[in-house]
Structure formats: structure tokens, C-alpha cells
Amino acid sequence: MLGWLPENISEYAQGVDKLFALIYWITVVAFVLVIGTLIVFLIKYRHRAGHRAEYIEGSTKLEIIWTAVTTVIVFGLAMLSFPEWNNLKSPAENPDYVVQVRGEQFNWYMIYPGPDNELGTEDDLELENELYVPEDKLVQILLTSKDVIHSFFIPNLRQKQDALPNQTIDTLKFQAREPGRYEIPCAELCGFGHSGMLGYLIVQTQEEYDAWVAEQWPE
Amino acid sequence: MTESRPLSNAKLGVLILLGAETMLFVGLIGAFLVFRMGNVTWPPLSIDNIQLPRLVTGINTVLLIISGYIMFLALRAVQQDRIKQLRNFLVFTGTLGLLFLVVQGSEWVQLIGKGLTLQSGVYGGIFYVLIGCHAVHVLGAVIWLAIVIGMAIAGRFSSVNFTGVETCTIYWIYVVALWPILYVLVYLA
Amino acid sequence: MQENENISHEHDDDEQHEHAHDDNDTMEHTHEHDNDEQHDHADHHEESFIRKYIFSLDHKMIGKQFLIYGLIMLFVGGGLALLFRWQLAYPETPELEGGKPAKAAKPLPIIGPSQKYIDDGEVVTGADKMWERIYDSDKEEFLEVNMPSGLIEPHFYNMLFTMHATIMVFFVVVPILVGAFGNFLIPLMIGTRDMAFPVLNMLSFWLAVLAAVIMAAGFFVPGGHASAGWTGYAPLSADPQWTGVGWGLNLWAISLLIQGFSSLVGSINYITTIINMRAPGMTFLRLPLVIWSLFIVAILLLLAFPVLSSALALLIFDRLAGTTFFTSTAEGGGSSLLWQHLFWFFGHPEVYILILPGMGIASELIAVNSRKPIFGYRSMVYAMIAIAFLGWVVWGHHMFQSGMRPGMGAFFMTTTMLIAVPSAIKTFNWLGTMFRGSIRFTTPMLHAIAFVSMFVIGGLSGIYMANTPVDIYIHDTYYIVAHIHYVVFGGSLFAIFGGIIFWFPKMYGRYMNDTLSKIHFWLTFIAFNCTFFPMHILGVGGHMRRISNPMQYEYLQTFEGMNIFITMSAFTLGFVQLILVFNFVWSIYRGKVAEKNPWNVTTLEWEAPTPVPHGNFAQIPTVYRGPYEYSVPGEESDFIPQAQPEHAPASAGD
């Protein structure tokens, strides 16, 4: 099961895969225990002639035990998840790059602030469906939408965030480790073109990226 | 059947219905609060020149509360077999209910004249939907009351048989009690 | 006619039961309309066809009506699923950088045109002829708009999955679990003659029919049916310009409002009946667990549905009256998250409405077939109450990625995780019930075992989603689809099938054919797992839900084979259900005649004669003990009916 996860290129979300693996093994063990017990019971206590069921109404002790065990496990999991959640869903501190992304039926528009590092000015650059970032740099996405709710999903970064109309969400950030071209599908139903609403994350080495910048904003 | 059955089916049924009604209003009031919190100024600047009629509606509120008390007196009357009083009280209650609706209606006409409509952003929208939803309930209660009045005139009630009055009273008082909450939330706060 | 019968019936009861008498007495007072009461059980006279089968006031007939209604809608909903499954298996493969070679989509079988017709317009099959006619006609035919040449349009695809889910949730699972089993079982199992308000009961059914008709009509209005998902997220649903859907979505909302009324009326009836009309001695802690589950569900329905109604009302205003409650882009506009909050505040209790009665049914089946008392009856009840209560404080877990404040995510994660506790208690108690039992592998028991094991998978997969960091990744993927189907299909639907087979003898006085039932069970079980288990893998691979063409994504192209496998399994699963239908209909007329208590059950419904007459019991039974007195030591019979007086010699098997 774990092998089906797409390659994780995120500096931030390595913890997600670890949690995933932890939950995976907990649930596998729980599943094997419960279903194993079920099968053993089904075979052992099947109806046989002359055999009578035992009148058992319950056992408070057993019930307390399994209630307690379950509670401890789920709370433990919750405790382990809090830091990861806060890490992933808090606004970026001192990001290296800021890019605004706008969802609009049925495209992602990436808006670069340009040399003045300010959005909403003359030198902004708006690209359709292509997000260029340098590797190993902290990138913050200011996510918004023009019409309906979209969801910005980068499987390889384990990141996903809904884009809300007329509202900017600043909690989406990442640091990509591997240069390459990755897909950014929309994950929230947004109309008949939802399937196929697709952008690309292009992770480049710093030199490539600088060259790209120089090309976009010639002095 | 069971040894103890404190509430008759009809009474219990109405009480359960009120649970659902409450949740309907919880949904609408929840929406109202979301809009209220989501806007820094309330009413939003675009409709600042419109004042909701606090005073008239306040008087109307008092009318409605009085009608609730009279409905309660009607129930007391039928329990003590004062059937003629029952009729008078019921009619009085119904009249006050209708009066409430008429005042509300005329206020609405004035507000619409001043330019506050359903389309005036969420402020106008939720005002008409929330207050209108309550008005529909008052209207429903008035119709129910009319049926009860008819039955009272036909002599269907007595001190041993008054479930019809009782269930209607429960519903009426519920609708009355709901109003001050909406008044405070929508008009005053 | 009522007057006479009421008198004769009261007279009957007078002699044998004082309790029953004072029940009727009170009822007479409480009802404004005497004809609410239909207690003509004493003598059987011919009722007109319409009175008996169409506008029946009898809870058993209304229950059966709901059952058949639900089963018909099950086939409608399932059929829609097969259509979009085909699209997912054989979509068009576009040319992608580094992807698979481009390939045309494969038209639907049977109605799709032949390859010859596509290539050179030569009419070969009947379908070709049909398409020729459609293309020649000037009208915009339904098929031409939605499935040109047997290929599903993306817009139609959205309608299909929207309606699949809407129908399955609102028109199949709830009507069958609550409408059918609730109506049929509640009066019988608590020992009363009918529901508290029979007229309202009938109203509830016919409102549900009206809702279904309106919902079906939506397909045929211009612009097509609702296509914003069963969750109808605003602002997509709030403004026709985003989906291009006009009246379809309005009809969707109106239909759900009517269905809400139907549920409201039904739940008032259930709650009143269970509180007020239990047989003498039937205390709350002697209620069978299925009645407990239906009681809790009725309360949930009562309180949850009005919240959806309020949201639907606002939605309709947005669509028709020009308000902007859900559109934040407009000046002075509303909130685009409001819909989600309102919807899921209703929606999460709704999810438990879908599973709790299944748990109740499974509890009955497991206790009866293990010949043992339920392990920890009280904690089973408390666990259900806990689940129902927690259901109100977890709605935010559907919205972890919605832009809700992250701090709230931590709160909702904790409450959601908590639900694992009562769910685990229930699972362990089912195992405890089988422990040292004497398990009879009847077909209902097979379904109950399937219920437990599928519920375990569905429950465990829920932990991934409750865990917020992991949910970031699997949210809105096929992982969710797998999870919901393991709970609602693997859980509720197996319980429904088991329940139908189990109570069929009481409903129709005949058994269902056991061989066919077993074949149906095993094929369903296998096909179900083949269909839905791979969806977990798709989800882990990042396969989004609600996309009509996964081949447009390079990273999803590897899953082409798996999608085809799932589709094949889904078709198998669909066609296997025909066995159930055949068995159901055939057994009503030709099944083996059943005795009064064929499964040796303790609960009251088996005290009533088979087939159950109007009014259910010749005399209202008195209850002496809890519902699960199986294999009591020192007793000759391995079960003691609830209505059997103390110290009476046990007589087995009648």
C-alpha cells in the first residue's frame, strides 16, 4: 500500500509519510487481530450437535480494557499529529519566494510579484498553469479563487488547500527537493471542466531558475 | 400500555416537532451570525441609511408576548371547563397574532420602499429570510388556531378533552418565545 | 367502519388486557381525528385494493412500500454508478508528455455505436440505427446532449455521480433502514398495534415518493440535473453560471426539502411510538438493539435534517431570488464556507443515520445466530448514544482543507478520533457475542459477519482521514470513496440484505430461497471487495474523486488497469443484485411457507402470527425479560421469548 504513494519531494511533509506509515501499521495490526479473532471464533464456536452456547452477558473488565486501549491509541495518534499539522498549516515565516495562485474555471493562474517583490504592481507576471520554483527554497503560495472553490493539490508535495473566492489563504508553503515537472490537479469539484484542470509545478535548480527569471524580466 | 405515560401521543408529537423547528432556526440563526461576524460593520456600509424599525417592532413584540399569555389563559380556561372564556381567549389570541403579522407586513412594505430588499447583500437577504421564516410560523400558528377556534365553537372541547387546545398552546407559546430572541439578534444587536 | 371495529377491539382487549384498554382510551382523547386509529385487527374483512396497497395506514404495508421503493431506487442509483464507472475505465487518453500513447474513448456497451459506424458511418447494429435516428432528428435528444455516440460528456458525468450519491443516501439507505425496517419493526418489536400517527406515516411515504419523482424529473429539464456533487458545495451550486445547470439543481434542492419533510414526519412518529407505546414490561433497557438504533436515528434525523433544510432554503433564495448568501465575490456578499458548515453540520449526523440502524440489525442477527445474549448490552446502547452525540461535534473533519482556521482542525481531529472509541467497543462486543457461542451460519448471519468485517475496514480507514496531516493528502481522493463505500455499502447494505432475508418470513410469510441467497451473498461479497478495495490504492496514489478522465493526468495513467478492474467488478456487483431481485419477487409468491418463529428468536415480532394481521397481535403481549435470553443455563429451550411468563415451562421451536 505504502509503495503506491507518489514520490515525496517535500522538505516539509516528510512527516506526513511517516505518520501514514505509522497509521498503516497500526491499522494492519488491528485488522489482523480483529479479523483473525473473528475467524477463529467462527470456526471454534460454530454450531455442533449437542453443543450449547455459554450464557455470557458481558464483562466490564474486558470492556474497560479495550475502551482504554483504543482511547490511548487514538489520543496518542492525535498528539503525534498536532505538531505536523501546525507545521503544515501555518503561514510561512520569511519565505524565500511568494507566488500568488488564482484558481479560475478551469485553470491555475500563477502571479509572480516580479523584481519589486510586490504583488499588484506593473511588473507582475501572470502565467497560466505553470509554477516555476527553485529547489530547496521556501515558497509561499497566496491562494485565492475567482469564481468557485477549487483545491490546489500537489501530490508530490503532499500539499492540498482549497482556494476560496474573494479570500486569500496564506498557509500553503513548501520546499521542493527534486528538480522536475510535477502535476497540480484541482481536487475540488469546480464544474464540468474540473477533470483536466491541471497545472504544472516546475522545480528547477537555482541556476536554471535565475536564468528563467532573467528571461522573464529583462533588465 | 406502559405503566407511566406522562404525555399523550399528540402532545409528545408536538414537542418533538419543536425540536426540529428549533434546529431549523439554529441553521438560519447560525447563518445570520456567520454574516454578522464576517462583516466588520453591521449593517454593511452600502446600506447604512436604512434603520430597522426598532420601536414599532418592539411594541409588536409586546403584543406577541401578550398573545402568548392569553393563549395560556385559554388553556387554563378549558382545563377548568370555562368554555365560553376559552372561545374569547382564543379569538383574542388569534387577533393579536394577526395584528402582529399585519404590523410586520406594513413594516416590510416600508423597508422595501426605502430600498432594503432581498437583494441588498446578505444584510437584506438574511433579514427577510429569517424574519420571514418566523412570520410563516406565526401564520401557521394562526391557521392552526383558527381550526381550534372552529372546534371550540363546535363544542369539541371540555375539561377532560382539551388536547387540541393544549397542543396548539404549546406551538403558539413556542413561536412567541422564539420572537424576542430574533428581535434582539436582528433588530437590537 | 372505524367505530364498530374500535368497539369490538376494545372489548376484546378488555377481557384480556387492561393495559391495552387504557391505551386506546388515551388515544381516543388525544386524537382530533378518530380515524387516525385503525385497529380493525379483530376481524378480517376485505379492504379495497387502494386502501390496502396504495394509501395504506398499516405500518407493515408502509414498511414494505418503503422497502420496495428503496430497492427500486437502489437499482437506479446503481445503474448511474455503472455508467460513470464505464467512463472511468475507458476514457479518452490524450497525448501527454511522457505519458501513454493517445487513444480514443470506448463507447458504452449495448447503446454505443459500433466501430464500423464510427469509422465510416455504416449502420451495423441496432444501436447504430438509434444513433442515426438521433443525429438526423432536429430535436436535442437526451442521449445526444449527454452521451453523444455512447461517450459520457464531462457535464453528464458530474450529474451521474451527483445523482448516484444523492439517490443512494437520501432515497435508498435512509428509506430502507429507517422507512422500511423502522416502520415494519418498531410496532412489532415493542409490542403495539401500529404507529402513533398512522396518517402521518402514510404521508411520510407519499412525500418520499413525491420527492423521488421530482428528483427523477431533474434529468429531463433543460440544462440537465444537479451536477455539483451530492454535497452541493456553494458557490458552485449557488449560481447557475458556474455549472450551467438551471432548474435541475433547483429541483434537487426542492426534492431534498420534501424528503426532509418526509423524514421529519417519520421521525416524530418513531420517537412518539417508541416512547409512548411500548408493551407492558417493555422498559427501555429491554428494547432490542435495533429499536434502540432506530430510536437514536430518529432523533438524529429530527434534529439534523432541518439544518439541511435551512441551508437548502438559503440556496434556493440564492438561485432564484438573487440573494448572495453563498457568494462572497459580490458586494455585501456572503460566505463561501457557510454552506459547508451548514451542510456538514447536518451531513455528519446523516452519516451516522446511515450506519446506526445497520449496527442495530447486525446486533440482532449476531445474537440470534450465536444463540447468546449480546455481549455488554448496556455498553452497546451507550456506544450508540455516544456515536450519535459525537456526530454533532465532528462536522469540521470534512473541511480540514477548506480554509477553515487551522486551530479548529486540531479540535475536530480530537473529536473525530474519539469516535473510534465507541466504534471499537461495538466491534469488540460483537466479537464477544460470538465468543463461546453456537454459531449458525444462516444467510442473515453471513451478512452480519460481512457487516462486521467490512465495518472494521471502513472504520480503520477512517483513522487515516481523521489524522489531519495525512488527510491533507488523501482528502478528496478515492481513499474517501473507498471509505464511505466500505461503511455504507459494506456496512449498511450488507445489514439491509441480511435484515431483508431475516425478516422476510415475517413480512411475507415465506422464506427467501436459501441457495439463491447464499449465491447472492458470496458473489456480492467478492465483487464488493474487488470493486472498492482497490479504491484505497487509487487514493494512496493520489487519484482525485469526481474526475471524469484520470488519463488526463500523467501520474494517474498507471492506474488504468486498476480502473478497468474496478469497473468490471462493479458491473459484476450490479448484475449479481438481479439474483436478489429475482429471489425477492419469486419468494413472495413461491417461497417456502414459513412458520411463526423460524429462527427461534426471543423478540416480540415473532410472537405475532405469520403473516401478521392488521393490528399485529391478538392480544398485546406483556414483556417479562430482556431481548437476548439465549442459552439460559438450566432451561430446556435455548431461547426464552420476551413475552413468555416467568417460570413457565419452555417449549422449543413454536
Side-chain angles (χ1 to χ4, degrees), chain A residues 1-6 16 19-20 23-28 30-31 33-35 37-38 41-48 51-59 62-63 66-67 70-71 74-75 77-82 84-86 88-90 105-106 145-149 151 153-156 158-167 169 171 181 183-198 200, chain C residues 96-97 154-155 158 161 227-229 233-236 242-243 328-329 336-337 340 370-377 379 400-403 406 409-410 413-414 417-418 420-421 424-425 427-429 431 434-441 449 453 456-457 460 463-464 467-477 533 536-537 540-542 544-549 552-555 559 562 629-633 635-638:
Chain A
M1 185 75 96
L2 294 169
W4 292 96
L5 284 166
V16 171
L19 269 173
F20 195 101
I23 299 174
Y24 176 70
W25 288 112
I26 290 176
T27 51
V28 165
F31 177 75
L33 282 179
V34 172
I35 299 299
T37 317
L38 178 70
F41 282 6
L42 291 181
I43 295 169
K44 211 169 157 195
Y45 305 120
R46 68 187 184 279
H47 173 73
R48 282 156 293 166
H51 168 81
R52 206 180 151 113
E54 209 169 295
Y55 186 85
I56 306 168
E57 280 189 290
S59 156
L62 270 177
E63 292 198 57
W66 61 53
T67 308
T70 327
T71 314
V74 296
F75 268 105
L77 268 181
M79 286 305 170
L80 283 175
S81 317
F82 287 138
E84 196 65 34
W85 171 249
N86 290 336
L88 282 165
K89 287 275 171 178
S90 55
Q105 283 181 338
F106 300 97
S145 162
K146 190 179 174 226
D147 35 39
V148 298
I149 297 174
S151 190
F153 180 28
I154 313 178
N156 298 86
R158 309 286 186 268
Q159 270 290 19
K160 183 183 288 142
Q161 176 62 53
D162 284 8
L164 299 177
N166 210 24
Q167 201 170 322
I169 291 166
T171 55
R181 192 163 174 271
E183 284 163 301
I184 312 174
C186 171
E188 184 73 72
L189 178 66
C190 58
F192 60 87
H194 166 59
S195 182
M197 177 165 171
L198 179 63
Y200 292 93
Chain C
L96 289 182
E97 211 181 299
H155 176 56
N158 290 358
F161 70 70
S227 60
Y233 273 14
L236 183 65
W242 306 132
T243 52
S328 60
T329 41
S336 39
L337 275 187
Q340 291 183 42
S370 304
R371 314 307 294 162
K372 271 192 60 195
I374 275 287
F375 191 93
Y377 171 87
S379 51
F400 284 149
Q401 320 315 331
S402 69
M413 166 161 65
T414 315
M417 286 284 198
L418 267 180
V421 177
I425 292 175
T427 308
F428 289 132
N429 282 4
L431 290 182
M434 294 180 205
F435 175 65
R436 293 201 177 158
S438 174
I439 299 168
R440 305 183 306 198
F441 290 98
I449 295 165
S453 35
V456 168
I457 296 181
L460 289 173
I463 296 179
Y464 292 76
N467 193 279
T468 44
V470 176
D471 181 72
I472 294 176
Y473 178 66
I474 57 176
H475 182 82
D476 269 330
T477 66
F533 197 82
H536 289 111
I537 299 171
V540 173
M544 290 80 64
R545 64 197 290 205
R546 295 173 170 177
I547 52 169
S548 60
N549 186 357
Q552 289 167 315
Y553 305 86
E554 205 187 306
Y555 78 108
F559 293 113
M562 203 175 283
E629 293 300 293
Y630 293 101
S631 305
V632 178
E635 293 284 337
E636 190 193 322
S637 161
D638 74 344

Side-chain angles (χ1 to χ4, degrees), chain C residues 80 230 440 498 512:
Chain C
L80 299 177
W230 82 280
R440 305 183 306 198
M512 280 174 77

Side-chain angles (χ1 to χ4, degrees), chain C residues 318-335:
Chain C
D318 263 13
R319 291 181 64 85
L320 294 179
T323 56
T324 52
F325 295 124
F326 301 119
T327 311
S328 60
T329 41
E331 172 69 29
S335 151

Side-chain angles (χ1 to χ4, degrees), chain C residues 278-299:
Chain C
R278 282 165 288 125
M282 181 61 95
T283 57
F284 268 98
L285 286 176
R286 281 178 181 170
L287 284 177
L289 285 175
V290 67
I291 300 300
W292 260 111
S293 71
L294 288 165
F295 182 55
I296 293 166
V297 159
I299 295 174

